[in-house]
Amino acid sequence: MSTGAVKVTEVFPHFITGAVKVTPAHDFYDYDLGERFSLDSVTILGEDGTIDCPVSRFNGLRRFDARHEVTDALKEKGLYGGQKEHAMVVPVCRYV
């Protein structure tokens, strides 16, 4: 799995974090960045909506349950930085 830092100029300034998380299997934007920087695409969500990652303690959890569990785990380790609301854009094919 690819890890490390890459220089990305296409950031969303309204988030103002100074960091960009790239998840190539997440959306078109991240896929493009993943291709450009040769990042691996890893799918951890099964077709049934559960976490499919055998090496994770969250394996088998439904995705919304996993979100709360991951948040709790980050808080326990003092790594949780907070939550912000933002609009999510979901592309829909006009041919569907």
Side-chain angles (χ1 to χ4, degrees):
M1 180 178 297
S2 302
T3 60
V6 294
K7 184 176 181 180
V8 178
T9 57
E10 304 90 339
V11 297
F12 301 112
H14 57 279
F15 285 127
I16 313 173
T17 62
V20 177
K21 174 193 67 68
V22 178
T23 309
H26 176 69
D27 62 17
F28 298 118
Y29 175 77
D30 282 7
Y31 178 80
D32 178 57
L33 288 175
E35 287 290 301
R36 194 169 351 147
F37 294 104
S38 301
L39 302 175
D40 298 331
S41 287
V42 178
T43 301
I44 64 158
L45 192 61
E47 290 186 22
D48 62 354
T50 61
I51 302 299
D52 183 11
C53 184
V55 297
S56 170
R57 76 181 221 201
F58 309 109
N59 189 50
L61 292 177
R62 295 183 329 197
R63 64 188 176 115
F64 289 112
D65 295 333
R67 179 181 295 173
H68 296 294
E69 293 290 326
V70 169
T71 299
D72 289 345
L74 290 170
K75 286 178 179 176
E76 288 171 11
K77 293 179 179 271
L79 300 173
Y80 184 70
Q83 180 176 329
K84 277 180 147 178
E85 293 294 323
H86 67 7
M88 185 164 139
V89 178
V90 179
V92 178
C93 177
R94 67 178 186 195
Y95 299 107
V96 176

